[in-house]
Amino acid sequence: MTKQSITQYYQKHRKAIVTATSGLLYGSGWSLGYLTSFEMASAAILVLATIVGGYDIAKTAYHEVTSRTLGIKTLVTLAAIGAIVIGEYWEAAAVVFLFSLGSYLEGRTMRKTRTALQELLEMTPDTATVRRDGELQEVPAREVEAGEVVVVKPGGKIPVDGEVVDGESAVNQAPVTGESAPVHKADGDEVYAGTVNQEGALEIRTTGAGSDTTLERIIRRVEEAQEAQSPTESLIDRFAKYYTPAVIVLAIGAYAVTQNAILSLTLLVIGCPGALVIGPPVSIVSAIGNAARSGVLMKGGEHLERAGKIDLVAFDKTGTLTKGETTVADIEGFGIADDDVLTLAATAEKKSEHHLADAIVDAARERPTAATDGGATVAQADETDAGSRSIPGPDDFDVVAGKGVIAHTKGTEVVVGNRALLEDRDINVPSRIADYVREREERGETVVHVVRDGDIIGAIALRDELRKAAPGVVTALQDVGIETVMLTGDNERTAAAVAEEVGIDEYRAELLPEDKQTVIEAYQADGHVVAMVGDGINDAPSLATADVGIAMGAAGTDTAIETADMALMADDLDRIPYAVKLSKATRWNVLENVGLAVLTVTVLLAGVLTSYVTLAAGMLVHEASVLAVILNGMRLLRH
Ligand code: ADP
Ligand code: MG
């Protein structure tokens, strides 16, 4: 070992070395006094033990005093100095040794909690194989530029965020999204740095590298979240500010009354608010770390504490309870060919970004090219993929939010939308169409009417499959006593059919986007603590209104992560009961820790006043309570 490496070693393990030295001195001083009659020598060694172990503590205490933020170390220092002054060397050394042993163990366990997340970062490889000038080069992953193509071998870790441009594989995304099952990736799919390519070689066009990857962004946010104080934490901090001086006053008062110095020094030691101050942050840091590793981003202790009180979860229907992959299930022409209904509707919807519009346009494209003309001309194929037809856009187009679209093409007006839109425009629905609509809606499908120049020419039924996990998630929430509600812009009958299939307690249908917010406010006014689950973009207003906004599928979309209090990285509904249970467990854990801390101080205080508790025993129990709350909080890492 060189001199330099010895110094480094000492600095790194200073706390352990100091504690061990002070412990050894304390042990030998004590034995000397106990077994022999070298009392002076014993006292000298015990004082030395106090100085070795107490130097750092006293230094911090000095800072506490000069910055007027009296803390635990001030109390310990006063107690140790006091004990030496009155000749209780053994007590002084014991207090200092036990305290530094306690804070050493505390530091170790806290580090373990905080570094739980660093393991995720270690998932990202340091180097990447990049195609540059037609050659493969190994470069540091942080130096890959956006747009460069990275090659990842089967079994390799993906070093950058990007889009697959060649190859096909199954990718294990657990480090980012928490999903256990690998996800199939092919051309055009998004992949994340830190995930594992399991099967085939992939070529990836980089969109972000280094600190600009989804994984790094998530970890940064989690670290911020862990720093943010929860309401309980800030309450305790404010309390501790007054509490510590109060303990000193109490100790002085006790001495004035009893003239018993040991008693008042013991009061200083057992009055340390250690367990109270350390408990809540450990619980919260552990819970946030646990959640992050399961693909749930919690935005901080405040949200976590609020989530622990949730008693109602509202789900958006489309894209949340359902897959959000709407497809055309059936078309009904009313006096005209089905194909023409579809083509006309697709023209009107072409510029809309609504999921129903996408489904209609896709269905029209995939129809075999036919020469039929339903009032809109089928233009020359301008699409790149052969076999699909091109759909002409409308001349003009208006969105009626939550109702449909109104478009013009070649001098005809085309309206595609729900019953409310037809009512607004005084369009009469013939009974044959009404019957058809009712029948499809009772199956949980959504039907839009297609109107040409004021006459209904047909209807299109669309289906959005339920997510497989949805019924189980609803049951899991109900099992822990949480009410479930589905909110949707869809019509009453479709909503009822879907609600029944999912087994949800309640549903609210035909809601305009702003109505969803009003419904949530109404539940809150009834005294509910409401969580809203939605997609973070369309549902941003209701997510913001809810006590806890939960965004789904947030990896990759920064807006979702921004607006939500809690974000599920994957489209994994299963995470909701998990997150709710973890939040509840965290809330209990915080309460347990606060309770344990208060109980310990109370019992010790009673013990001191009845002279059952000595200075050293007080310190021992105090440190034990600190370690107990830390270990209790850390249980949340493995919840
Ligand atoms: P949700 O997100 O719950 O599906 P929306 O507010 O997006 O609710 O839509 C509500 C209803 O409005 C849809 O079920 C549909 O009947 C009608 N609608 C909305 N946009 C369109 C559109 N582009 N084309 C046809 N109908 C539409
Ligand atoms: Mg929606």
Side-chain angles (χ1 to χ4, degrees):
M1 257 199 211
T2 63
K3 200 171 164 190
Q4 198 194 359
S5 66
I6 293 174
T7 333
Q8 269 177 4
Y9 183 86
Y10 174 70
Q11 266 157 7
K12 197 165 163 219
H13 300 283
R14 184 188 166 99
K15 225 173 181 168
I17 294 167
V18 163
T19 304
T21 314
S22 133
L24 274 175
L25 287 169
Y26 163 66
S28 41
W30 179 80
S31 342
L32 208 60
Y34 189 74
L35 303 172
T36 71
S37 48
F38 299 126
E39 267 165 36
M40 281 297 283
S42 158
I45 294 175
L46 288 170
V47 171
L48 191 63
T50 313
I51 294 171
V52 168
Y55 177 74
D56 285 346
I57 303 171
K59 221 163 98 183
T60 315
Y62 177 74
H63 286 301
E64 286 180 353
V65 171
T66 49
S67 65
R68 290 170 205 276
T69 48
L70 297 188
I72 299 168
K73 287 180 176 164
T74 308
L75 297 180
V76 173
T77 308
L78 286 177
I81 294 175
I84 288 182
V85 168
I86 59 169
E88 295 286 340
Y89 308 117
W90 175 78
E91 294 269 31
V95 161
V96 164
F97 166 64
L98 290 172
F99 183 79
S100 51
L101 180 64
S103 55
Y104 165 70
L105 294 174
E106 180 186 319
R108 261 187 70 134
T109 36
M110 280 299 267
R111 255 198 314 283
K112 211 167 141 195
T113 317
R114 292 201 181 263
T115 50
L117 270 185
Q118 292 298 323
E119 289 164 21
L120 285 184
L121 262 192
E122 283 156 19
M123 309 286 292
T124 20
D126 298 328
T127 59
T129 312
V130 187
R131 190 176 299 264
R132 277 183 190 163
D133 311 319
E135 263 176 65
L136 291 182
Q137 287 180 18
E138 184 100 345
V139 302
R142 312 203 147 253
E143 287 168 19
V144 179
E145 307 258 335
E148 286 191 300
V149 173
V150 171
V151 181
V152 185
K153 285 195 245 106
K157 282 179 188 158
I158 296 176
V160 295
D161 272 15
E163 194 183 294
V164 176
V165 287
D166 197 26
E168 214 177 299
S169 185
V171 173
N172 179 349
Q173 307 205 108
V176 173
T177 65
E179 293 161 293
S180 45
V183 181
H184 179 82
K185 298 282 179 181
D187 248 23
D189 288 337
E190 217 178 333
V191 291
Y192 306 112
T195 59
V196 185
N197 176 18
Q198 294 191 322
E199 286 169 357
L202 288 176
E203 297 209 359
I204 297 157
R205 181 172 304 113
T206 308
T207 53
S211 58
D212 186 28
T213 62
T214 303
L215 184 62
E216 292 229 5
R217 271 196 297 272
I218 292 172
I219 288 170
R220 272 201 301 277
R221 291 201 172 267
V222 169
E223 282 170 351
E224 277 165 31
Q226 289 178 328
E227 290 305 314
Q229 275 205 330
S230 76
T232 309
E233 287 173 78
S234 37
L235 184 75
I236 288 173
D237 269 11
R238 260 176 299 165
F239 172 72
K241 231 196 236 144
Y242 299 103
Y243 176 82
T244 317
V247 169
I248 296 176
V249 171
L250 180 74
I252 295 172
Y255 182 73
V257 174
T258 64
Q259 299 290 308
N260 183 343
I262 297 262
L263 174 98
S264 81
L265 295 179
T266 311
L267 279 177
L268 286 180
V269 166
I270 62 144
C272 292
L276 194 63
V277 174
I278 204 93
V282 176
S283 311
I284 282 164
V285 166
S286 300
I288 291 177
N290 179 330
R293 281 181 298 157
S294 308
V296 179
L297 180 63
M298 306 261 192
K299 293 284 269 299
E302 187 192 338
H303 307 288
L304 194 53
E305 284 192 1
R306 221 176 310 130
K309 299 181 193 158
I310 291 171
D311 64 355
L312 186 145
V313 177
F315 291 90
D316 178 50
K317 176 175 82 76
T318 314
T320 302
L321 288 175
T322 66
K323 287 183 182 158
E325 294 158 7
T326 311
T327 52
V328 170
D330 191 56
I331 306 164
E332 182 82 345
F334 193 51
I336 100 168
D338 293 355
D339 249 10
D340 295 340
V341 174
L342 183 64
T343 308
L344 197 60
T347 299
E349 295 276 22
K350 181 134 187 229
K351 292 197 175 136
S352 162
E353 271 152 19
H354 200 268
H355 57 97
L356 295 177
D358 289 344
I360 290 172
V361 175
D362 284 348
R365 282 209 179 108
E366 277 148 30
R367 290 259 145 176
T369 316
T372 49
D373 184 9
T377 355
V378 176
Q380 294 299 313
D382 62 12
E383 299 292 316
T384 40
D385 38 334
S388 71
R389 14 183 222 175
S390 138
I391 305 300
D395 300 331
D396 66 64
F397 146 94
D398 274 309
V399 175
V400 187
K403 293 183 179 175
V405 297
I406 301 165
H408 288 92
T409 172
K410 306 249 143 65
T412 51
E413 183 202 62
V414 186
V415 175
V416 184
N418 57 19
R419 206 170 296 112
L421 184 59
L422 302 203
E423 272 162 26
D424 289 352
R425 303 178 64 81
D426 289 326
I427 296 165
N428 196 36
V429 183
S431 63
R432 183 185 142 194
I433 288 281
D435 289 345
Y436 170 80
V437 171
R438 183 176 324 110
E439 191 230 320
R440 303 301 305 199
E441 286 179 348
E442 278 164 1
R443 303 185 194 186
E445 292 171 3
T446 302
V447 186
V448 294
H449 307 76
V450 184
V451 182
R452 182 176 59 193
D453 289 331
D455 293 320
I456 299 201
I457 57 164
I460 300 175
L462 298 115
R463 185 180 12 235
D464 183 3
E465 297 292 335
L466 214 57
R467 284 184 200 275
K468 274 205 194 67
V473 165
V474 167
T475 315
L477 290 173
Q478 289 163 340
D479 284 349
V480 290
I482 290 173
E483 269 182 66
T484 52
V485 184
M486 178 180 89
L487 308 181
T488 180
D490 228 334
N491 72 87
E492 184 71 29
R493 263 195 300 266
T494 309
V498 174
E500 189 175 339
E501 212 178 327
V502 191
I504 212 156
D505 297 326
E506 236 179 274
Y507 67 89
R508 298 293 175 87
E510 291 169 36
L511 299 174
L512 297 175
E514 62 269 26
D515 295 337
K516 293 186 185 172
Q517 242 172 306
T518 320
V519 169
I520 289 171
E521 280 162 359
Y523 280 122
Q524 288 171 326
D526 279 349
H528 286 291
V529 179
V530 182
M532 165 83 194
V533 191
D535 67 12
I537 297 165
N538 295 318
D539 302 314
S542 19
L543 294 191
T545 306
D547 296 288
V548 180
I550 307 178
M552 299 240 309
T557 39
D558 257 5
T559 17
I561 297 181
E562 218 68 66
T563 45
D565 303 316
M566 216 188 262
L568 312 185
M569 290 305 143
D571 264 342
D572 209 349
L573 269 185
D574 272 337
R575 295 290 141 188
I576 290 168
Y578 154 82
V580 170
K581 285 180 199 165
L582 178 65
S583 307
K584 290 205 184 291
T586 308
R587 193 166 158 244
W588 274 112
N589 199 280
V590 168
L591 288 176
E592 281 160 19
N593 280 352
V594 170
L596 182 70
V598 171
L599 187 73
T600 309
V601 171
T602 316
V603 168
L604 281 178
L605 190 66
V608 173
L609 296 178
T610 53
S611 8
Y612 277 110
V613 174
T614 63
L615 193 50
M619 184 47 103
L620 188 66
V621 174
H622 169 81
E623 284 307 328
S625 74
V626 170
L627 290 178
V629 298
I630 291 180
L631 292 176
N632 187 41
M634 282 177 71
R635 285 191 307 134
L636 292 170
L637 276 175
R638 279 176 296 276
H639 181 75

